[in-house]
Amino acid sequence: MMMVVKKLFGLALAFGLVGCGSQNDIHNSDIKITNGIAASQKDFPAVVKLSLYSGWSGGICTGTWVNDHQVITAAHCVYSKPRVSVGNIRAINYQIQDGYDMKTNGGVNELDLAIVNFPAGSAPAVRQIIRNTPAKGAAAKIVGFGNNVIAKSSSGGITGSGAGRLRYGDNILSEMSNNMLQIVGVPKANYDVEGKRVDLGELASTGSGDSGGPIFVNGRLAGVTSGGGVGETAEGLVLAVGLFTDLNSPESQAFLDEHLDR
């Protein structure tokens, strides 16, 4: 499979980005963990489904407990000021990264970071934040409640299916730029790349509902899912791209230092 990974790294992709947790996009679960393996909550107790409600509409995002009462997620998940809960636990409030807005690259950008505050003692488990930005080629694990399949619709938009169930998958970091981490994966299970079957859980990517969810490197939280999309190579191979806000960028560190209870 390493040759397949190297092949994906070398491909030039043209793709459209979609946020994985905005009021319209994430809430409608347009993209999720693709080619993912179903997991139970006990497998990833620190990873949670955030239920979002604004008026009569609602949706989901993903987040990670980093201490006993705070969840790190994506800013676009709470940008529209929804009510937020994890199961029956209602959030007290939340902070959004300074300067974040939905106009910059469709909301998929290096400031797409938020902290959601819950009552003390709410977390069943926590994950630590990695201390440095990981290197290109580092092994990574992504986890989320998003779609397991993504595709382009007949109108050119992005559609998907399989949201609401916890899944995980493995990949490697293909690029780091503009304080964002990137992976390139496959859009669904049982997918062939140059005649080689990609096993379930390999070359996984992200989709709606995964927004705010973690990318783990060496078991530690390295970034949160900001957005993704599908792209097609000159040879007609459809691939899925995931973009993550780097938690070790200067902007992210300043935000976490101000609002996270270390």
Side-chain angles (χ1 to χ4, degrees), residues 32-35 142 171 183-186 203-207 210 229 240-242:
K32 327 270 187 210
I33 296 270
T34 64
N35 200 38
I142 54 177
N171 208 319
I183 60 172
V184 179
V186 296
L203 299 183
S205 192
T206 60
D210 291 325
V241 177

Side-chain angles (χ1 to χ4, degrees), residues 37-48 127 143-145 164-168:
I37 298 173
S40 69
Q41 196 65 59
K42 67 179 182 181
D43 296 321
F44 299 97
V47 180
V48 293
R127 285 286 188 119
V143 186
F145 288 86
R165 185 170 184 182
L166 183 63
R167 295 184 180 87
Y168 71 94

